[in-house]
Amino acid sequence: MDSIEREAKLFEAGEYPDKGIEITVEDLDRIVANTSDAPVRIEHTDTPFDGAIGFLRSVYRKGRELFGKL
């Protein structure tokens, strides 16, 4: 089966008062440095699609935004 690669914005640096956290650009850099391939799930739960609907292949930062190649 052929795969399709897509770029997706994952989140961005900033304050998230509803979660009680603040994400800095330095936090994003740590995420980039410590993230490896991971399954993509809808809302972080199992789906009828045999668990994962794809895979996160790389993570990178553009300014204050975190992106991934799916």
Side-chain angles (χ1 to χ4, degrees):
M1 173 186 264
D2 291 332
S3 62
I4 299 171
E5 188 173 277
R6 302 270 192 232
E7 177 182 67
K9 180 178 173 182
L10 304 175
F11 59 92
E12 63 185 72
E15 291 187 34
Y16 295 86
D18 58 320
K19 305 288 184 206
I21 61 170
E22 179 179 355
I23 303 294
T24 66
V25 170
E26 291 79 15
D27 293 326
L28 298 181
D29 288 337
R30 280 193 291 280
I31 292 169
V32 169
N34 293 294
T35 300
S36 59
D37 288 4
V40 174
R41 301 182 189 283
I42 297 173
E43 294 296 324
H44 306 287
T45 63
D46 288 330
T47 70
F49 304 108
D50 196 23
I53 60 171
F55 292 90
L56 176 68
R57 296 294 184 202
S58 66
V59 179
Y60 49 95
R61 181 174 64 83
K62 291 182 181 180
R64 298 179 53 81
E65 299 176 323
L66 188 71
F67 286 83
K69 289 274 174 107
L70 310 174

